[in-house]
Amino acid sequence: MTRSVLLIDDDTEILNFLGRFFEKRGWIVNRASDGASGVELYERERPDLVLLDLEMPRLSGLRVLEILRARDEEATVILLTGHGDVAKAVEAMQLGAENFLTKPVEISHLEAAADRAFEKVELRRRNQFFASRQSESQGLAALGRTPKMRDIAQQIELLAGSDTTVLLLGETGTGKGWVAHQIHALSPRAGNPFVEINCAGLTATFLDSELFGHEKGAFTDAKAQKRGLFEVADGGTLFLDEIGDLSADLQPKLLKVLESRKFRRLGGTREIEVNVRLIAATNLELEQNVRDGKFREDLYYRLAVLPLRLPALRERGREEIVDMAARLLGELRRRMGRGPERITAEAATLLAKYPWPGNIRELRNVLERVILLGADSLEVRPQQLPPELNSAAAEMPNSGDPTVSLEDVEHRHIALVLAHAGGNRSETARILGISRATLYEKLHRYGLEEVGRRSDGRTRK
């Protein structure tokens, strides 16, 4: 695993000396010539180790140490002191410094101190991993008790034990991000970074810089070198959400990283090697995108080594929907410090009948709104639920009719909510708990694009 260090010293010669020392040993090195910029760099890079000069103008080393430890109690700091500053160094140890070295620094002492500090960092991460693994495994119970969801929980545990690429499939709001976190938390990489980015709506140049970093001067605004998320996630997991929206220009570059684990920063010439597990997710049918020429076939098969499809909430059954609602209500009550304690049978029936096109995200939004508007109530009652749930129960086809498809249920419900919102797309998407892009895709699928258009032919936003 790549190690990283932040050097903070106002002496340029010492910065260069220490930088060369660590770079020769394969560390990623960041430098700051004053305390304020050092704090800023730490916040951005979160290095494994900090070497901090005790005596600096404006912001002293002691003050920088206090700030770092206040913001991150696990910040690992080694102080560099003059011979006359040993008393201050002892004070710094009491403030949480890992160790101190006197100037001029001896190479053997520096190497031993850095190695010991990093070993402690790794040990702490492993302990955190083993402590969290049991609770995370128990957290899979939140998926539900039905055979289908228990099977998905078992698949998640199997995926966590492997180290290959995972592709999560499912509609918007089905919990793909949560599952990605669970896979990472249950894996041997849990003590290392989990980094995520949503590929939707980002330009190819911006996403290229975010994923792979850039060199100073690579483009107009590149005023300094920047590490990409693949470097930040080294040793851990990178979660690419909405992978189906990845630009065609970046698809071959991502494929190369998956195959060789090497890449170049934007504007760079040096190949950087990383050890990163990739989890990707999409609400699109990637196979269809491959057939349409929108997504590379070789990249698709590289991503889809272990695909996992998460069912929509409406596919999970009445018992599962009501159980999910009860769990979410409990979580929201604990977070918000108020709200109803239970759901009445009548309200549960409405929740179970509603098709939930926005899935778990929409259900959470509905319950959060209930808490905000009825914080003093002990129960969730039908009249506290949004009008569209009551309307949906009245308008929906008989759920016991075996001839009614799930698509028909969703079609009718979206049309109902769209009419309720007066044709306003933004309001319809908000009520359904889905993005406008997802709504437009569903309107196109069900032939509802003309619903709510104004007399001048324009769409109500």
Side-chain angles (χ1 to χ4, degrees):
M1 176 185 170
T2 303
R3 305 179 180 190
S4 58
V5 62
L6 170 60
L7 310 174
I8 308 176
D9 200 309
D10 62 326
D11 189 322
T12 304
E13 289 187 8
I14 292 178
L15 273 183
N16 291 335
F17 165 73
L18 294 174
R20 288 192 298 270
F21 166 81
F22 283 103
E23 285 171 344
K24 286 180 179 178
R25 285 156 180 79
W27 290 60
I28 294 171
V29 178
N30 290 282
R31 300 171 175 85
S33 57
D34 61 79
S37 57
V39 170
E40 183 181 340
L41 260 176
Y42 185 87
E43 286 290 331
R44 189 164 73 240
E45 302 294 340
R46 291 294 170 127
D48 300 313
L49 177 64
V50 178
L51 256 71
L52 173 63
D53 185 25
L54 189 60
E55 294 296 337
M56 292 188 295
R58 292 185 295 278
L59 202 61
S60 71
L62 277 180
R63 181 62 186 137
V64 171
L65 174 64
E66 288 179 324
I67 293 172
L68 294 183
R69 295 286 296 178
R71 296 185 183 182
D72 179 8
E73 62 182 15
E74 295 181 353
T76 304
V77 181
I78 295 176
L79 287 166
L80 302 177
T81 75
H83 286 287
D85 294 326
V86 175
K88 284 187 179 179
V90 172
E91 180 185 351
M93 297 283 286
Q94 295 171 343
L95 291 173
E98 179 67 30
N99 204 341
F100 70 90
L101 299 171
T102 56
K103 296 179 180 179
V105 179
E106 291 189 23
I107 291 294
S108 59
H109 293 172
L110 175 60
E111 188 165 27
D115 286 343
R116 279 199 305 272
F118 187 76
E119 286 171 4
K120 287 187 177 181
V121 170
E122 282 196 312
L123 179 61
R124 183 170 65 243
R125 287 172 177 166
R126 284 198 295 270
N127 288 338
Q128 289 171 343
F129 162 62
F130 289 121
S132 66
R133 187 177 179 98
Q134 184 176 5
S135 61
E136 292 289 351
S137 182
Q138 293 168 348
L140 292 179
L143 285 168
R145 298 174 291 173
T146 62
K148 179 187 291 187
M149 300 314 294
R150 285 201 299 268
D151 180 58
I152 287 177
Q154 290 178 349
Q155 291 183 58
I156 290 172
E157 290 188 314
L158 288 173
L159 291 173
S162 73
D163 201 39
T164 192
T165 303
V166 176
L167 179 62
L168 302 176
L169 304 168
E171 295 180 10
T172 298
T174 48
K176 297 187 291 294
W178 182 85
V179 169
H181 275 280
Q182 293 291 314
I183 292 172
H184 172 76
L186 292 169
S187 77
R189 295 176 177 264
N192 297 323
F194 178 90
V195 181
E196 58 185 301
I197 188 170
N198 191 311
C199 301
L202 301 179
T203 65
T205 301
F206 181 81
L207 190 55
D208 192 339
S209 174
E210 287 296 298
L211 289 175
F212 305 108
H214 62 249
E215 300 292 348
K216 181 179 179 180
F219 48 88
T220 304
D221 294 327
K223 295 180 172 57
Q225 183 192 82
K226 175 183 175 181
R227 295 169 67 207
L229 296 183
F230 268 100
E231 288 179 80
V232 175
D234 192 23
T237 303
L238 178 60
F239 174 47
L240 296 185
D241 201 3
E242 305 298 353
I243 189 72
D245 292 316
L246 186 68
S247 162
D249 295 336
L250 288 181
Q251 290 178 26
K253 195 166 183 178
L254 177 60
L255 178 63
K256 180 179 184 297
V257 179
L258 291 176
E259 290 179 339
S260 68
R261 296 193 171 188
K262 296 177 181 178
F263 65 93
R264 293 189 184 98
R265 294 193 187 110
L266 191 62
T269 57
R270 181 175 66 91
E271 282 205 325
I272 298 168
E273 186 168 356
V274 290
N275 175 17
V276 174
R277 183 189 196 174
L278 185 73
I279 301 177
T282 183
N283 63 348
L284 303 176
E285 293 297 335
L286 278 190
E287 287 187 79
Q288 184 60 50
N289 282 13
V290 170
R291 289 192 289 270
D292 294 341
K294 298 177 181 177
F295 203 86
R296 290 178 63 112
E297 184 176 24
D298 48 3
L299 177 57
Y300 169 72
Y301 286 116
R302 190 66 182 79
L303 292 171
V305 178
L306 290 173
L308 175 61
R309 183 173 294 277
L310 303 180
L313 189 55
R314 64 181 176 277
E315 298 172 344
R316 301 186 188 187
R318 183 188 192 284
E319 178 187 2
E320 189 58 51
I321 292 173
V322 175
D323 279 357
M324 178 69 72
R327 285 194 295 273
L328 290 175
L329 182 65
E331 289 178 14
L332 290 168
R333 283 188 75 252
R334 288 189 292 274
R335 179 167 64 82
M336 301 170 73
R338 55 178 180 163
E341 298 176 0
R342 53 188 174 272
I343 302 170
T344 66
E346 296 79 10
T349 297
L350 291 180
L351 293 172
K353 285 185 175 181
Y354 184 69
W356 300 108
N359 292 295
I360 300 170
R361 187 176 300 150
E362 184 184 5
L363 175 58
R364 178 184 288 275
N365 290 347
V366 165
L367 294 173
E368 190 166 359
R369 189 173 6 167
V370 167
I371 291 176
L372 290 172
L373 297 178
D376 297 330
S377 174
L378 292 177
E379 298 178 321
V380 176
R381 298 187 294 272
Q383 57 268 35
Q384 294 171 286
L385 297 173
E388 59 267 20
L389 267 74
N390 290 275
S391 301
E395 297 283 342
M396 275 173 49
N398 184 350
S399 60
D401 183 354
T403 67
V404 177
S405 70
L406 290 172
E407 282 199 349
D408 190 29
V409 172
E410 183 175 73
H411 178 181
R412 296 190 191 193
H413 179 65
I414 290 175
L416 177 71
V417 175
L418 191 60
H420 172 77
N424 186 297
R425 268 60 172 165
S426 296
E427 178 65 9
T428 301
R430 186 193 65 77
I431 291 172
L432 295 175
I434 59 180
S435 68
R436 283 182 59 175
T438 300
L439 174 63
Y440 284 130
E441 185 272 326
K442 291 179 184 292
L443 294 179
H444 176 72
R445 184 195 309 170
Y446 296 129
L448 297 171
E449 293 165 299
E450 297 301 317
V451 177
R453 288 195 183 277
R454 303 188 325 193
S455 57
D456 59 6
R458 295 172 61 189
T459 300
R460 293 184 177 91
K461 298 295 185 183

